[in-house]
Amino acid sequence: MHPMDRGRAIQRFEEIPKLVLGHYPTPVEKLARLRAAVGGGPRIFIKRDDYTGPGFGGNKVRKLEYVLAAALQQGADTVITCGGERSNHCRVTAMLAARLGLGCVLVLNGRGEEPKPASLAVEQWCGARIERVASREERAGRMEALVRELKKAGKNPAMIPLGASDALGAMGFVAATAELAAQMEVEGWRFDAIYFASSSGGTHAGLAAGRELFLPGSTELVGISPDDPAEEIQSTVTSIVQGLGQRLGVEFTGEIRVLDNFVGAGYGIESPQSRRAFELLARTEGILLDPVYTAKAMAGLLDAINKGQYSESQNLLFWHTGGQLALFHV
Ligand SMILES: Cc1ncc(COP(=O)(O)O)c(C=O)c1O
């Protein structure tokens, strides 16, 4: 990217309205005991986005800062979004909507788990209206019907896509990349690769665009799928990255890499590998992952180390995107 284009894109990015709802910068910590436990190899660092703050933290706070700013600018009084029954995105949306005085309607698919997932209970405590659908496929149609229903009732609803993963929401991770770049500069760090869970695509797209704007070009981004086939996520991420490019007036060309060999039996289900990764991090560092997103991503990082893909002189960053509330039921 030409430096002038880059400068203009950064300027445009900085002009996009956002709310500041989280606590930044989130810390970057060294995982020396985990490194020793896996027998050495590259240095391992962790970006603690489980500490972003509201809604029990996680990556959704960063995305919603942009999406909710736009909703408020449009005069919205209600937000509508969707997810699974344990959705971290829906929980954070419900909590931030309560904080901003907005109504919240959540379209959830799921089995009606017993005992009740903590995220679902939190949504109800925060006053969200829950609308149930039988499958993922029905969510979009129901959200559109709800928009029509609420408008008829004199409301002004704003629809937030799954995971707040559109070009606007992904700006949250462009901002996160700028935040990381500043931490790297202060500490003199260089990361050869960043590992993270990638599903609805906003996190990955924001990091991909942010890499081209703020990080050394050689930084590898490795998204680990907790659910869908790699090609599907790659194509979603690519189209969000295109949207980011359009908004910022540049073309992002970096490779989008997604691995889907850590999904196990499917969405929301632990695999033996993710369980081992979860337990190893808890035992060696006292850090909890969530069992079905970040633990699968950690399994991917540990597998790469195990296969000798990185040397002792390299540095890996694991981006902890939160989600630990999925461990709890009420
Ligand atoms: C804890 C956690 N990590 C990672 C992700 C993936 O982020 P994205 O949806 O932006 O791809 C999610 C998404 O639902 C999540 O809940």
Side-chain angles (χ1 to χ4, degrees):
M1 189 184 299
H2 192 279
M4 250 168 58
D5 292 340
R6 181 173 170 270
R8 208 162 352 117
I10 292 175
Q11 197 183 341
R12 281 199 192 184
F13 160 68
E14 285 170 349
E15 284 165 6
I16 300 172
K18 70 184 279 199
L19 303 169
V20 179
L21 300 167
H23 305 289
Y24 308 114
T26 57
V28 175
E29 298 167 352
K30 223 178 210 177
L31 300 180
R33 290 174 53 78
L34 176 66
R35 182 188 190 209
V38 297
R43 281 179 291 273
I44 314 170
F45 295 77
I46 188 167
K47 176 82 168 147
R48 299 296 303 267
D49 265 14
D50 50 327
Y51 287 161
T52 52
F56 294 92
N59 57 343
K60 307 304 176 209
V61 179
R62 293 188 186 271
K63 299 194 257 181
L64 287 165
E65 287 178 341
Y66 284 90
V67 170
L68 291 172
L72 288 177
Q73 253 187 356
Q74 291 154 21
D77 52 22
T78 309
V79 289
I80 304 173
T81 195
C82 68
E85 232 177 6
R86 285 190 253 164
S87 163
N88 295 307
H89 162 66
C90 288
R91 178 190 72 254
V92 180
T93 304
M95 292 179 85
L96 293 179
R99 174 164 161 189
L100 297 171
L102 295 167
C104 178
V105 187
L106 301 174
V107 176
L108 301 184
N109 65 289
R111 301 169 257 142
E113 275 182 62
E114 283 297 335
K116 188 190 282 187
S119 270
L120 178 55
V122 166
E123 290 153 11
Q124 291 169 325
W125 293 331
C126 290
R129 171 177 152 196
I130 309 292
E131 289 282 319
R132 295 258 177 199
V133 289
S135 66
R136 281 175 161 209
E137 291 67 35
E138 288 169 55
R139 296 187 299 210
R142 179 65 71 85
M143 286 207 293
E144 270 152 30
L146 281 161
V147 168
R148 288 192 295 274
E149 181 197 301
L150 287 166
K151 279 189 175 162
K152 245 190 194 164
K155 296 277 188 194
N156 187 7
M159 198 160 93
I160 300 176
L162 178 71
S165 284
D166 55 10
L168 191 57
M171 291 294 175
F173 268 84
V174 177
T177 318
E179 177 185 303
L180 176 69
Q183 290 172 307
M184 289 165 64
E185 175 144 13
V186 169
E187 300 291 341
W189 289 324
R190 246 188 113 84
F191 297 114
D192 297 282
I194 303 177
Y195 279 72
F196 51 92
S198 182
S199 177
S200 66
T203 301
H204 199 154
L207 290 175
R211 168 179 60 183
E212 293 189 47
L213 294 176
F214 301 112
L215 296 180
S218 56
T219 315
E220 185 191 12
L221 295 179
V222 187
I224 308 283
S225 167
D227 43 25
D228 294 328
E231 309 73 59
E232 253 176 57
I233 297 180
Q234 255 151 6
S235 118
T236 309
V237 174
T238 303
S239 82
I240 303 172
V241 170
Q242 270 166 9
L244 283 165
Q246 277 158 14
R247 279 176 176 263
L248 301 180
V250 278
E251 199 184 339
F252 296 111
T253 53
E255 189 208 357
I256 303 298
R257 185 160 171 232
V258 180
L259 302 181
D260 60 9
N261 43 334
F262 301 92
V263 173
Y267 174 71
I269 305 169
E270 286 187 62
S271 67
Q273 238 178 328
S274 71
R275 186 73 205 178
R276 279 197 296 278
F278 173 90
E279 288 181 1
L280 185 62
L281 189 67
R283 211 168 50 240
T284 54
E285 302 282 354
I287 297 174
L288 294 184
L289 297 167
D290 85 285
V292 294
Y293 285 98
T294 43
K296 289 182 183 177
M298 180 55 88
L301 177 144
L302 294 176
D303 182 66
I305 294 176
N306 199 26
K307 287 183 174 146
Q309 285 176 18
Y310 300 99
S311 72
E312 296 237 331
S313 62
Q314 290 186 296
N315 295 328
L316 304 185
L317 180 72
F318 177 78
W319 205 299
H320 191 333
T321 46
Q324 298 100 318
L325 208 67
L327 294 165
F328 302 99
H329 292 77
V330 292

